[in-house]
Amino acid sequence: GAGVSQSPRYKVAKRGQDVALRCDPISGHVSLFWYQQALGQGPEFLTYFQNEAQLDKSGLPSDRFFAERPEGSVSTLKIQRTQKEDSAVYLCASSSTRDTQYFGPGTRLTVL
Amino acid sequence: QQQVKQSPQSLIVQKGGISIINCAYENTAFDYFPWYQQFPGKGPALLIAIRPDVSEKKEGRFTISFNKSAKQFSLHIMDSQPGDSATYFCAASARAQKLVFGQGTRLTINP
């Protein structure tokens, strides 16, 4: 079936605006992860869901970042009052079996 | 202790040669070690993965070598092709949770 999808693929925001990034995991995948990838760097963990429960949010850089997965499928990462340092690619990954994470294409966020 | 260190940062290999990328970790709780391949504008794609109970895993032209005592693992790409030119990331996780990634290696295969 289809892989992990993310929307929008590109987002330009003015500093101070709120943004919402969407992730559609592979159907039936229990686990969902969000990562942030700065230019030229490896992805860095933000948060992790198992079904609708957010089990780990230790990677969220500030309280401006918020994620939810209310029905255990689609997830939204929200960033309030965006700052220039939030500019990055935001990657979503999902997993059904132990360990293997499948990544979406990412959302490139540019904050002006 | 959560870091995974990857080297080299960039690598140029002639077509048909062997590409070798190395990673080292500190956290002995890590129990899963995948390698991801990423092309520009795309998300990382799983290439091959290994668990610490084996020392080597081979899939086609790709081989992971794992040294548990040294806490090191490496990716070997045999008969490297121009289509292999991409950025490669090693990663590690414990108990099926978050992946900790290395810094990446930009691989260029010259025709």
Side-chain angles (χ1 to χ4, degrees):
Chain A
V4 178
S5 61
Q6 294 186 244
S7 61
R9 291 294 317 279
Y10 304 91
K11 177 70 178 177
V12 178
K14 292 183 179 178
R15 188 163 57 92
Q17 281 185 331
D18 297 349
V19 298
L21 313 180
R22 177 187 170 105
C23 172
D24 282 83
I26 294 170
S27 178
H29 278 196
V30 170
S31 299
L32 186 147
F33 301 80
W34 284 98
Y35 294 86
Q36 180 190 60
Q37 186 174 25
L39 190 64
Q41 302 294 316
E44 292 195 355
F45 171 78
L46 293 175
T47 187
Y48 158 55
F49 291 86
Q50 193 169 84
N51 295 305
E52 68 277 5
Q54 189 174 20
L55 299 186
D56 186 351
K57 54 181 180 179
S58 62
L60 296 176
S62 76
D63 59 7
R64 296 186 295 104
F65 287 71
F66 172 77
E68 60 183 4
R69 194 186 185 199
E71 297 179 357
S73 55
V74 170
S75 177
T76 304
L77 176 67
K78 297 179 179 178
I79 309 173
Q80 297 177 323
R81 304 181 303 281
T82 52
Q83 302 296 312
K84 284 198 170 184
E85 60 264 27
D86 300 335
S87 296
V89 174
Y90 291 85
L91 294 163
C92 175
S94 70
S95 174
S96 64
T97 59
R98 185 180 173 211
D99 297 322
T100 305
Q101 294 186 27
Y102 298 92
F103 282 81
T107 294
R108 180 176 296 277
L109 172 65
T110 302
V111 181
L112 303 178
Chain B
Q1 196 172 12
Q2 286 292 319
Q3 275 190 314
V4 175
K5 295 184 179 180
Q6 182 173 345
S7 62
Q9 193 170 3
S10 63
L11 180 62
I12 300 174
V13 174
Q14 292 300 116
K15 179 182 175 183
I18 303 173
S19 304
I20 302 174
I21 304 170
N22 301 297
C23 284
Y25 65 97
E26 290 294 324
N27 187 351
T28 55
F30 287 148
D31 58 9
Y32 175 70
F33 302 88
W35 285 89
Y36 282 84
Q37 179 189 57
Q38 187 175 31
F39 293 103
K42 306 291 186 183
L46 179 67
L47 202 56
I48 186 172
I50 198 167
R51 298 189 190 284
D53 53 345
V54 297
S55 60
E56 186 174 282
K57 183 174 181 180
K58 183 176 181 179
E59 290 184 0
R61 296 185 294 110
F62 302 93
T63 300
I64 299 179
S65 296
F66 187 84
N67 185 329
K68 187 174 181 178
S69 61
K71 292 185 285 187
Q72 295 176 347
F73 58 110
S74 61
L75 175 70
H76 292 62
I77 306 174
M78 312 299 287
D79 186 27
S80 299
Q81 299 297 312
D84 297 331
S85 297
T87 300
Y88 292 79
F89 293 97
C90 63
S93 70
R95 299 180 305 279
Q97 297 191 23
K98 64 184 178 185
L99 288 168
V100 179
F101 283 85
Q103 299 89 333
T105 296
R106 180 173 291 186
L107 175 64
T108 302
I109 307 301
N110 282 337

